């Protein structure tokens, strides 16, 4: 569920393709089938930035996708629509996204074909599929199967958290240069007995990384 400041609300199924929209408080809910230009695609995360809806999704058999608002915004007369941007030609499952205060986007998930977590980072134009930085986690951490379950962004600061899918040990990665290079924070979490990580958030202007995970874990990493 997500709602804009001016009262437009959207419910999406997360494990299906159904979406419903309410154009304002007290208005009837309407089926928004066809919201992706008529395609039947799945949303796994829905966010609001600048009073517009942003999403990511796809499943293990679909190309990785981000969903962006129309250029003229969400207009009731047009019906609820979002623009689909396919980021890669092969199937990947995208699970989480974050939009920072400047509209910069990061999304994360897993490429089941090579059993590697993936991260996509927008640059100047998120509507251009070729203007995204793509990161495969196996190139950073070796060939053990990995998932990325949570991502967060604050300008050039990017974090990605998740797990090794064979044993649920945590994964935590931090980039200060928009994904060009990465610092592996994983050993610090493993030695502390932390299980898999699922969400992250930058606090204090990016000086602190908050992470949450299995068994109710909630912690802070000071850069």
């Amino acid at each position: 569920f997500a709602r804009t400041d001016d009262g437009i609300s959207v419910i999406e199924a997360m494990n299906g393709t159904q979406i419903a929209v309410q154009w304002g408080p007290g208005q009837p809910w309407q089926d928004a089938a066809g919201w992706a230009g008529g395609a039947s695609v799945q949303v796994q995360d829905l966010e609001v930035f600048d009073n517009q809806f942003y999403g990511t999704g796809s499943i293990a058999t679909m190309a990785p996708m981000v969903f962006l608002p129309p250029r003229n915004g969400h207009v009731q007369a047009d019906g609820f629509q979002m623009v689909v941007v396919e980021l890669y030609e092969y199937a990947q499952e995208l699970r989480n996204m974050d939009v920072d205060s400047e509209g910069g986007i990061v999304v994360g998930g897993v490429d089941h074909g090579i059993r590697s977590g993936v991260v996509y980072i927008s640059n100047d134009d998120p509507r251009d599929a070729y203007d995204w930085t793509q990161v495969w986690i196996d190139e950073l951490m070796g060939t053990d199967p990995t998932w990325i379950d949570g991502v967060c962004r604050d300008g050039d600061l990017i974090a990605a958290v998740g797990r090794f899918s064979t044993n649920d040990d945590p994964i935590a990665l931090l980039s200060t240069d928009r994904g060009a290079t990465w610092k592996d924070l994983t050993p610090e979490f493993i030695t502390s007995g932390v299980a898999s990580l699922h969400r992250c958030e930058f606090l204090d202007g990016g000086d602190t990384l908050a992470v949450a995970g299995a068994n109710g874990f909630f912690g802070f990493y000071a850069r």
Side-chain angles (χ1 to χ4, degrees):
F1 174 83
R3 175 184 289 160
T4 64
D5 291 341
D6 49 5
I8 304 174
S9 300
V10 170
I11 294 175
E12 51 89 4
M14 192 167 78
N15 60 353
T17 60
Q18 304 90 342
I19 281 187
V21 60
Q22 183 188 50
W23 290 101
Q27 295 195 33
W29 286 93
Q30 298 176 356
D31 183 1
W35 62 272
S40 180
V41 296
Q42 182 171 314
V43 178
Q44 295 212 46
D45 193 15
L46 189 65
E47 303 287 337
V48 172
F49 167 72
D50 197 24
N51 261 345
Q52 306 291 327
F53 294 99
Y54 290 71
T56 192
S58 75
I59 55 177
T61 58
M62 302 176 70
M65 303 173 186
V66 291
F67 313 122
L68 306 177
R71 293 190 183 275
N72 64 337
H74 302 291
V75 179
Q76 182 172 0
D78 297 337
F80 186 77
Q81 295 290 324
M82 296 184 77
V83 177
V84 177
V85 181
E86 294 189 7
L87 300 178
Y88 192 56
E89 60 183 313
Y90 298 113
Q92 294 174 353
E93 180 181 0
L94 296 185
R95 304 170 60 81
N96 187 232
M97 81 179 309
D98 188 35
V99 186
D100 70 13
S101 61
E102 301 300 318
I105 305 171
V106 59
V107 294
V110 58
D111 185 321
H112 292 284
I114 60 173
R115 304 191 302 172
S116 172
V118 291
V119 176
Y120 289 89
I121 302 159
S122 70
N123 291 295
D124 293 332
D125 183 5
R127 297 172 186 274
D128 180 357
Y130 296 99
D131 195 30
W132 289 71
T133 299
Q134 185 180 41
V135 180
W136 278 275
I137 303 305
D138 66 344
E139 295 180 356
L140 304 175
M141 307 190 70
T143 58
D144 289 341
T146 57
W147 287 61
I148 293 300
D149 291 309
V151 289
C152 51
R153 179 172 184 172
D154 187 348
D156 288 344
L157 291 174
I158 308 289
V161 299
R163 56 198 161 95
F164 291 95
S165 60
T166 53
N167 58 16
D168 268 356
D169 278 350
I171 291 171
L173 298 166
L174 174 67
S175 174
T176 61
D177 52 13
R178 202 184 293 185
T181 60
W182 295 83
K183 181 179 181 180
D184 185 6
L185 309 179
T186 302
E188 300 184 46
F189 287 99
I190 290 179
T191 57
S192 299
V194 176
S196 57
L197 297 174
H198 300 282
R199 291 293 183 268
C200 64
E201 180 98 13
F202 284 108
L203 307 174
D204 305 324
D207 290 338
T208 302
L209 175 64
V211 295
N215 304 322
F217 175 80
F218 185 62
F220 302 92
Y221 177 86
R223 294 201 303 118

